[in-house]
Amino acid sequence: MSKPHQPRKHARQARARATQEAIVEAAARILEADGASALTTNRIAERAGVSIGSLYQYFPDKRSVIAQLLRRERAALLDDVRAASDGGGDPFAAVGALVDAALRHQFARPAMAMELERVETGLAMDNEEIALAAAIETAIGNILRRLDPQADAATARDVVAICRAIVNTAALAGETDPTRIRERVLRAVIGYLRPPAFSIP
Amino acid sequence: MSKPHQPRKHARQARARATQEAIVEAAARILEADGASALTTNRIAERAGVSIGSLYQYFPDKRSVIAQLLRRERAALLDDVRAASDGGGDPFAAVGALVDAALRHQFARPAMAMELERVETGLAMDNEEIALAAAIETAIGNILRRLDPQADAATARDVVAICRAIVNTAALAGETDPTRIRERVLRAVIGYLRPPAFSIP
DNA sequence: TGCGAATGTGAGTAATTGCTCACATTTTTC
DNA sequence: GAAAAATGTGAGCAATTACTCACATTCGCA
């Protein structure tokens, strides 16, 4: 009873790492251009310029390809959010930087971000994904508490949801001006937090 | 060249109408309980207690089943929103009623609403669906303009998006208290609109 | 009661999908 | 440079899917 096919857990050569990344990016591009329903394993391999067999050397199944793409995107967001958190002392500026990070993340490739969200729902989160989500929530919470000391986990979740919702809706409606969207997102978030130091002119 | 199979466009007997409704409700229940990936035509028919052949007598294809469910839900929302619009003269109360309508609509069967949204993205809207969406947008715009005379289509879209986002996020996180969610949604919407008459105590 | 129309049935089909495996090619190692 | 390890290949399989069709059952109505 020999195992004829032991998928590579770790890529040891640079070539293999390039293949792995090409596969993940191919998935991203398919989501972006053709949507979640077009995301088949054979299509991913074709778009990545590799054979279907190669795909299954580095990913045990389809969902792990999506999971890796999700990790890639979330890790980038976490970096961005932490950078915003390290900014100056002004709480309003910090929230502004947070919204900028969210907007960059969601609006850089809006169709991809939206389709990825759609696909994500059907996926159970693995431990790494849970840790990443928790870290993002914590980092955002730290920023929000500068404006509203009572901000909790639900507050952080709501803020993320508001950012996503407005950006996605705008992208769907064909809006292309980030400045205008930024203004609306910021208005919603600040309004939602309703900080004591904030008053209407 | 005879057509061996002419799908019924209109149900002429009550029995047929019941079958049609059972099919749509079966789709709703599958979405609610098992998610979009479980929504197969055979499963819909089974859950509805009819044969797969009967399903295809009243619906030309799978997407039209989903489209009908979508119409059912949207029409109910439109009624609710219009009722909110007909309410008293207080603009704040009107927006509150609007949020209530949205919350009822989204929170009555949260999982179903979410999965239906997921499925919707992959569907092109037909003319009836477009008209329904436009009517909802108009009705919401009418309410919002009482608070903010400059509210336009983008404003209405954003408000709907904010409502959905917060409710969905809350439902995903396992929240069950509508009052608490309502308070947050209202805060976000009012804050987003930032009406002149509104000031922080 | 009987007849045509309306409604209901479900095994079967063609297409698609995730995935495997026996094998070829390239790189590393000695 | 040769063996071994790592990487790459793609035809094809098993499972699933949306959908069809030849036929059975029930209803409306004389």
Side-chain angles (χ1 to χ4, degrees), chain A residues 45-64:
Chain A
E46 183 193 346
R47 189 85 162 207
V50 302
S51 71
I52 179 66
S54 287
L55 189 153
Y56 280 96
Q57 296 244 334
Y58 298 104
F59 301 93
D61 48 31
K62 181 186 172 181
R63 30 166 301 149
S64 72

Side-chain angles (χ1 to χ4, degrees), chain A residues 14-36:
Chain A
R15 175 173 58 134
R17 233 166 298 131
T19 298
Q20 221 170 344
E21 280 161 26
I23 289 169
V24 172
E25 178 54 28
R29 282 217 253 270
I30 290 169
L31 282 179
E32 192 170 19
D34 309 299

Side-chain angles (χ1 to χ4, degrees), chain B residues 89-107:
Chain B
D90 180 19
F92 281 97
V95 172
L98 169 63
V99 168
D100 281 337
L103 214 142
R104 253 195 313 276
H105 181 258
Q106 199 76 8
F107 204 69

Side-chain angles (χ1 to χ4, degrees), chain A residues 22 42 52 61 73-74 85 90 93 95 97 104 114 122 129 135 143 149 195 197:
Chain A
N42 284 286
I52 179 66
D61 48 31
E73 297 298 305
R74 289 287 159 79
S85 175
D90 180 19
V95 172
R104 254 196 312 277
M114 284 189 63
E129 186 64 28
I143 296 177

Side-chain angles (χ1 to χ4, degrees), chain A residues 105-150:
Chain A
H105 181 257
Q106 200 77 6
F107 203 69
R109 303 170 77 175
M112 195 267 273
M114 284 189 63
E115 294 296 321
L116 190 53
E117 273 173 52
R118 263 183 81 199
V119 167
E120 182 193 2
T121 318
L123 246 63
M125 289 203 288
D126 61 0
N127 290 335
E128 198 181 338
E129 186 64 28
I130 290 171
L132 213 47
I136 291 173
E137 211 168 77
T138 302
I140 290 178
N142 288 340
I143 296 177
L144 298 183
R145 264 185 294 281
R146 296 199 208 169
L147 263 187
D148 175 7
Q150 295 175 7

Side-chain angles (χ1 to χ4, degrees), chain A:
Chain A
M1 243 159 54
S2 71
K3 292 184 196 162
H5 166 69
Q6 182 93 289
R8 323 296 190 261
K9 285 127 216 302
H10 302 295
R12 318 198 181 199
Q13 301 177 10
R15 175 173 58 134
R17 233 166 298 131
T19 298
Q20 221 170 344
E21 280 161 26
I23 289 169
V24 172
E25 178 54 28
R29 282 217 253 270
I30 290 169
L31 282 179
E32 192 170 19
D34 309 299
S37 65
L39 194 73
T40 69
T41 51
N42 284 286
R43 208 136 146 44
I44 293 172
E46 183 193 346
R47 189 85 162 207
V50 302
S51 71
I52 179 66
S54 287
L55 189 153
Y56 280 96
Q57 296 244 334
Y58 298 104
F59 301 93
D61 48 31
K62 181 186 172 181
R63 30 166 301 149
S64 72
V65 176
I66 302 165
Q68 179 121 338
L69 174 59
L70 213 51
R71 273 196 298 272
R72 189 187 83 173
E73 297 298 305
R74 289 287 159 79
L77 175 63
L78 179 57
D79 281 353
D80 242 15
V81 170
R82 279 189 173 147
S85 175
D86 293 345
D90 180 19
F92 282 97
V95 172
L98 169 63
V99 168
D100 281 337
L103 214 143
R104 254 196 312 277
H105 181 257
Q106 200 77 6
F107 203 69
R109 303 170 77 175
M112 195 267 273
M114 284 189 63
E115 294 296 321
L116 190 53
E117 273 173 52
R118 263 183 81 199
V119 167
E120 182 193 2
T121 318
L123 246 63
M125 289 203 288
D126 61 0
N127 290 335
E128 198 181 338
E129 186 64 28
I130 290 171
L132 213 47
I136 291 173
E137 211 168 77
T138 302
I140 290 178
N142 288 340
I143 296 177
L144 298 183
R145 264 185 294 281
R146 296 199 208 169
L147 263 187
D148 175 7
Q150 295 175 7
D152 58 2
T155 314
R157 280 198 306 266
D158 284 347
V159 166
V160 172
I162 291 171
C163 291
R164 277 188 184 168
I166 295 183
V167 173
N168 286 347
T169 306
L172 262 185
E175 294 188 47
T176 53
D177 182 11
T179 324
R180 197 170 284 176
I181 300 172
R182 189 198 122 101
E183 190 268 329
R184 275 146 57 201
V185 172
L186 205 54
R187 191 144 43 94
V189 170
I190 300 279
Y192 172 78
L193 294 173
R194 200 183 281 178
F198 177 69
S199 68
I200 294 117

